Amino acid sequence: MHETFAKESVGRKVNVLFRLSMMHIRSEMKKLGFGAGDYPFLAMLFFEEGVSQDELSRKMRVDKSYTARAIAKLEKMGMVERRPDPVEHRTKRVFLSRKSRQMEEHFFAMLKNWHHTLTSGIDPEHLAIIQAGMDRM
C-alpha cells in the first residue's frame, strides 16, 4: 500500500524531474563556465534586471546571504554589475554585463532544448493540462 503511494506520489515525481533537470542544467552550464546554482539568478536577470538583491531573494525564495554570495560570484566572473540605487543609496541594483548578454541566446537555447526533451511525445492538449495542474500546486 505505502509502496504504491510512494511510487505514484506527485511529490516524488516532481523531485525526480527536478533532479534530472538539475543534472542537465549542471552539465550545460558547465560548458558555459558556470555552476548550476548560477542558472536561476541569470534567468531571473534576463527577464528583469535592475532589481535589488533583496528583490531577487524574495522572487527566488532564497535567503539573502545565498543571493549575496551568488551575485558576488557572478560579479567576480564579470557577468553582473551592482550599482547603487539612485534614490536609496544603501540598495544595490543588479544588472547584466555585456558578457552575459552575449551568451543570452545560447542560455535560452539550452533551456528550450531541455523543455523540448521533457515535452516531446506529449500532445499540446495534454501538455496544457499538465502545466495547468502544476500551476495549481
Side-chain angles (χ1 to χ4, degrees):
M1 179 178 152
H2 297 296
E3 184 178 313
T4 302
F5 171 76
K7 286 182 181 175
E8 295 177 8
S9 160
V10 171
R12 180 180 181 278
K13 291 178 187 226
V14 167
N15 181 275
V16 169
L17 188 57
F18 173 77
R19 285 187 292 121
L20 290 172
S21 293
M22 290 312 294
M23 286 171 50
H24 175 78
I25 288 168
R26 186 176 295 113
S27 170
E28 292 299 312
M29 290 296 284
K30 188 175 183 178
K31 293 175 190 175
L32 295 173
F34 300 101
D38 302 325
Y39 142 76
F41 291 97
L42 288 170
M44 181 72 71
L45 290 167
F46 278 126
F47 288 114
E48 182 183 6
E49 66 179 320
V51 295
S52 70
Q53 286 184 200
D54 285 353
E55 290 169 317
L56 275 174
S57 295
R58 273 194 307 279
K59 289 177 181 201
M60 294 179 57
R61 297 182 178 158
V62 296
D63 65 59
K64 292 177 184 180
S65 62
Y66 180 76
T67 299
R69 287 190 306 273
I71 295 303
K73 177 185 172 195
L74 290 170
E75 187 175 38
K76 187 175 182 181
M77 294 171 72
M79 302 308 291
V80 300
E81 301 168 3
R82 287 188 268 196
R83 300 179 202 152
D85 185 285
V87 176
E88 179 57 54
H89 299 289
R90 293 181 303 171
T91 300
K92 300 278 189 207
R93 302 249 167 227
V94 184
F95 295 87
L96 294 167
S97 68
R98 181 175 299 169
K99 187 176 177 182
S100 291
R101 289 289 177 198
Q102 291 172 340
M103 52 125 351
E104 182 176 5
E105 223 173 284
H106 185 76
F107 181 85
F108 283 102
M110 168 198 68
L111 296 179
K112 287 177 185 175
N113 287 339
W114 181 239
H115 176 79
H116 177 74
T117 299
L118 289 174
T119 60
S120 65
I122 302 173
D123 67 73
E125 189 176 291
H126 283 106
L127 185 56
I129 292 167
I130 292 167
Q131 288 174 318
M134 292 179 85
D135 288 343
R136 278 187 238 129
M137 284 187 208

Coordinates of all heavy atoms in Angstrom, one line a residue, residues 99-137:
K99 N 29.0 40.8 -21.3 CA 29.4 39.4 -21.4 C 28.2 38.5 -21.2 O 28.1 37.5 -21.9 CB 30.5 39.2 -20.3 CG 31.1 37.8 -20.3 CD 32.2 37.7 -19.3 CE 32.8 36.4 -19.2 NZ 33.9 36.3 -18.2
S100 N 27.3 38.8 -20.3 CA 26.1 38.0 -20.1 C 25.2 38.1 -21.3 O 24.6 37.1 -21.7 CB 25.3 38.5 -18.8 OG 26.0 38.2 -17.7
R101 N 25.0 39.3 -21.8 CA 24.1 39.5 -22.9 C 24.6 38.7 -24.2 O 23.8 38.3 -25.0 CB 24.0 41.0 -23.3 CG 23.2 41.7 -22.2 CD 21.8 41.4 -22.4 NE 21.0 42.1 -21.3 CZ 19.8 41.7 -21.0 NH1 19.2 40.6 -21.6 NH2 19.1 42.3 -20.1
Q102 N 25.9 38.5 -24.3 CA 26.5 37.8 -25.4 C 26.2 36.3 -25.4 O 26.2 35.7 -26.4 CB 28.0 38.0 -25.5 CG 28.4 39.4 -25.9 CD 29.9 39.7 -25.8 OE1 30.6 39.0 -25.1 NE2 30.3 40.7 -26.5
M103 N 25.9 35.8 -24.2 CA 25.6 34.4 -24.1 C 24.1 34.1 -23.9 O 23.7 33.0 -23.7 CB 26.4 33.7 -22.9 CG 26.2 34.5 -21.6 SD 25.7 33.7 -20.1 CE 25.1 32.2 -20.3
E104 N 23.3 35.2 -23.9 CA 21.9 35.0 -23.7 C 21.2 34.0 -24.7 O 20.4 33.2 -24.2 CB 21.2 36.4 -23.8 CG 19.7 36.4 -23.5 CD 19.1 37.8 -23.5 OE1 19.8 38.8 -23.8 OE2 17.9 37.9 -23.2
E105 N 21.5 34.1 -25.9 CA 20.9 33.2 -26.9 C 21.2 31.8 -26.6 O 20.3 30.9 -26.6 CB 21.4 33.6 -28.3 CG 20.3 33.6 -29.3 CD 20.7 34.1 -30.7 OE1 20.9 35.4 -30.8 OE2 20.9 33.3 -31.6
H106 N 22.5 31.5 -26.3 CA 22.9 30.1 -26.0 C 22.2 29.6 -24.7 O 21.8 28.5 -24.6 CB 24.4 30.0 -25.9 CG 24.9 28.6 -25.7 ND1 24.9 27.7 -26.7 CD2 25.3 28.0 -24.6 CE1 25.4 26.6 -26.2 NE2 25.6 26.7 -24.9
F107 N 22.1 30.5 -23.7 CA 21.5 30.2 -22.5 C 20.0 29.8 -22.7 O 19.6 28.7 -22.2 CB 21.5 31.5 -21.6 CG 21.0 31.3 -20.2 CD1 21.7 30.7 -19.2 CD2 19.6 31.7 -19.9 CE1 21.2 30.6 -17.9 CE2 19.1 31.5 -18.7 CZ 19.9 31.0 -17.7
F108 N 19.3 30.5 -23.4 CA 17.9 30.2 -23.6 C 17.7 29.0 -24.6 O 16.7 28.3 -24.5 CB 17.1 31.4 -24.1 CG 16.7 32.3 -22.9 CD1 17.5 33.5 -22.7 CD2 15.8 31.9 -22.0 CE1 17.2 34.3 -21.6 CE2 15.5 32.7 -20.8 CZ 16.2 33.9 -20.6
A109 N 18.6 28.8 -25.5 CA 18.6 27.7 -26.4 C 18.8 26.4 -25.6 O 18.1 25.4 -25.8 CB 19.7 27.7 -27.5
M110 N 19.6 26.4 -24.6 CA 19.8 25.3 -23.7 C 18.5 25.0 -22.9 O 18.1 23.8 -22.9 CB 20.9 25.6 -22.6 CG 21.0 24.7 -21.5 SD 21.9 25.3 -20.0 CE 20.8 26.6 -19.4
L111 N 17.8 26.0 -22.4 CA 16.6 25.8 -21.7 C 15.5 25.3 -22.6 O 14.7 24.4 -22.3 CB 16.1 27.1 -21.0 CG 17.0 27.6 -19.9 CD1 16.5 28.9 -19.3 CD2 17.3 26.6 -18.8
K112 N 15.4 25.8 -23.8 CA 14.4 25.4 -24.8 C 14.6 23.9 -25.2 O 13.7 23.2 -25.4 CB 14.4 26.3 -26.0 CG 13.8 27.6 -25.8 CD 13.9 28.6 -27.0 CE 13.4 29.9 -26.6 NZ 13.5 30.9 -27.8
N113 N 15.9 23.6 -25.4 CA 16.2 22.2 -25.7 C 15.8 21.2 -24.6 O 15.3 20.1 -24.9 CB 17.7 22.0 -26.0 CG 18.1 22.6 -27.3 OD1 17.3 22.8 -28.2 ND2 19.4 22.9 -27.4
W114 N 16.0 21.6 -23.4 CA 15.6 20.8 -22.3 C 14.1 20.7 -22.2 O 13.5 19.6 -22.0 CB 16.2 21.3 -21.0 CG 15.8 20.4 -19.8 CD1 15.1 20.8 -18.7 CD2 16.0 19.0 -19.6 NE1 14.9 19.7 -17.8 CE2 15.4 18.6 -18.4 CE3 16.7 18.1 -20.4 CZ2 15.5 17.3 -17.9 CZ3 16.7 16.7 -19.9 CH2 16.2 16.4 -18.7
H115 N 13.4 21.8 -22.4 CA 11.9 21.8 -22.5 C 11.4 20.9 -23.6 O 10.5 20.1 -23.4 CB 11.4 23.2 -22.7 CG 9.9 23.3 -22.9 ND1 9.1 23.3 -21.8 CD2 9.2 23.4 -24.0 CE1 7.8 23.3 -22.3 NE2 7.8 23.4 -23.6
H116 N 12.1 20.9 -24.7 CA 11.7 20.0 -25.8 C 11.9 18.5 -25.4 O 11.1 17.7 -25.7 CB 12.5 20.3 -27.1 CG 12.1 19.4 -28.2 ND1 11.0 19.5 -28.9 CD2 12.9 18.4 -28.8 CE1 10.9 18.5 -29.9 NE2 12.1 17.9 -29.8
T117 N 13.0 18.3 -24.8 CA 13.3 16.9 -24.3 C 12.2 16.4 -23.4 O 11.8 15.3 -23.5 CB 14.7 16.8 -23.6 OG1 15.7 17.2 -24.6 CG2 15.0 15.5 -23.1
L118 N 11.8 17.3 -22.5 CA 10.8 16.9 -21.5 C 9.4 16.7 -22.1 O 8.7 15.9 -21.6 CB 10.7 18.0 -20.4 CG 11.8 18.1 -19.4 CD1 11.6 19.3 -18.5 CD2 12.0 16.9 -18.6
T119 N 9.1 17.5 -23.1 CA 7.8 17.5 -23.6 C 7.6 16.8 -24.9 O 6.4 16.7 -25.4 CB 7.3 19.0 -23.7 OG1 8.1 19.6 -24.7 CG2 7.2 19.7 -22.4
S120 N 8.6 16.3 -25.5 CA 8.5 15.6 -26.8 C 7.6 14.3 -26.6 O 7.8 13.6 -25.6 CB 9.8 15.2 -27.4 OG 10.5 14.3 -26.6
G121 N 6.7 14.1 -27.5 CA 5.8 13.0 -27.4 C 4.6 13.3 -26.6 O 3.7 12.4 -26.4
I122 N 4.4 14.4 -26.0 CA 3.2 14.8 -25.3 C 2.4 15.8 -26.2 O 3.0 16.8 -26.6 CB 3.5 15.5 -24.0 CG1 4.4 14.6 -23.1 CG2 2.2 15.9 -23.3 CD1 4.9 15.2 -21.8
D123 N 1.2 15.4 -26.5 CA 0.5 16.3 -27.4 C 0.1 17.6 -26.7 O 0.0 17.7 -25.5 CB -0.8 15.7 -28.0 CG -1.8 15.4 -27.0 OD1 -2.5 16.3 -26.5 OD2 -2.0 14.2 -26.6
P124 N 0.0 18.7 -27.4 CA -0.2 20.1 -26.8 C -1.4 20.1 -25.9 O -1.3 20.8 -24.9 CB -0.5 21.0 -28.0 CG 0.2 20.3 -29.2 CD 0.1 18.8 -28.9
E125 N -2.5 19.4 -26.1 CA -3.6 19.4 -25.3 C -3.3 18.8 -23.9 O -3.6 19.4 -22.9 CB -4.8 18.6 -25.9 CG -6.1 18.8 -25.2 CD -7.2 18.0 -25.9 OE1 -7.6 18.5 -27.0 OE2 -7.7 17.0 -25.4
H126 N -2.6 17.7 -23.9 CA -2.2 17.1 -22.6 C -1.2 18.0 -21.9 O -1.2 18.1 -20.7 CB -1.6 15.7 -22.8 CG -2.7 14.7 -23.1 ND1 -3.0 14.1 -24.3 CD2 -3.6 14.1 -22.2 CE1 -4.0 13.3 -24.2 NE2 -4.4 13.3 -22.9
L127 N -0.3 18.5 -22.7 CA 0.8 19.4 -22.1 C 0.1 20.6 -21.4 O 0.5 21.0 -20.2 CB 1.7 19.9 -23.1 CG 2.9 20.7 -22.6 CD1 3.7 19.9 -21.6 CD2 3.8 21.1 -23.8
A128 N -0.9 21.2 -22.0 CA -1.6 22.3 -21.3 C -2.3 21.8 -20.0 O -2.3 22.6 -19.0 CB -2.7 22.8 -22.3
I129 N -2.8 20.6 -20.0 CA -3.4 20.1 -18.8 C -2.4 19.9 -17.7 O -2.6 20.3 -16.5 CB -4.2 18.8 -19.1 CG1 -5.4 19.1 -19.9 CG2 -4.6 18.1 -17.8 CD1 -6.0 17.8 -20.5
I130 N -1.2 19.4 -18.1 CA -0.1 19.1 -17.1 C 0.3 20.5 -16.5 O 0.5 20.6 -15.3 CB 1.0 18.4 -17.8 CG1 0.6 17.0 -18.1 CG2 2.3 18.4 -16.9 CD1 1.6 16.3 -19.1
Q131 N 0.5 21.5 -17.4 CA 1.0 22.8 -17.0 C 0.0 23.5 -16.0 O 0.3 24.1 -15.0 CB 1.4 23.6 -18.1 CG 2.6 23.2 -18.8 CD 3.0 23.9 -20.1 OE1 2.1 24.2 -20.9 NE2 4.2 24.2 -20.3
A132 N -1.3 23.3 -16.4 CA -2.3 23.9 -15.6 C -2.3 23.3 -14.2 O -2.5 24.0 -13.2 CB -3.7 23.8 -16.2
G133 N -2.2 22.0 -14.1 CA -2.1 21.3 -12.9 C -0.9 21.7 -12.0 O -1.1 21.9 -10.8
M134 N 0.2 21.8 -12.7 CA 1.4 22.2 -11.9 C 1.2 23.7 -11.4 O 1.7 24.0 -10.3 CB 2.6 22.1 -12.8 CG 2.9 20.7 -13.1 SD 4.4 20.5 -14.2 CE 5.7 20.6 -13.0
D135 N 0.6 24.5 -12.2 CA 0.4 25.9 -11.7 C -0.5 26.0 -10.5 O -0.4 26.9 -9.7 CB -0.3 26.7 -12.9 CG 0.7 27.1 -14.0 OD1 1.9 26.9 -13.8 OD2 0.2 27.4 -15.1
R136 N -1.4 25.0 -10.3 CA -2.3 25.0 -9.2 C -1.6 24.5 -7.9 O -2.1 24.6 -6.8 CB -3.5 24.1 -9.5 CG -4.6 24.9 -10.3 CD -5.8 24.1 -10.4 NE -6.0 24.0 -11.9 CZ -6.3 22.9 -12.5 NH1 -6.4 21.7 -11.9 NH2 -6.4 22.9 -13.8
M137 N -0.5 23.8 -8.1 CA 0.2 23.2 -6.9 C 0.8 24.2 -6.0 O 1.4 25.1 -6.2 CB 1.2 22.2 -7.3 CG 0.6 20.9 -7.8 SD 2.0 19.8 -8.1 CE 1.3 18.8 -9.4

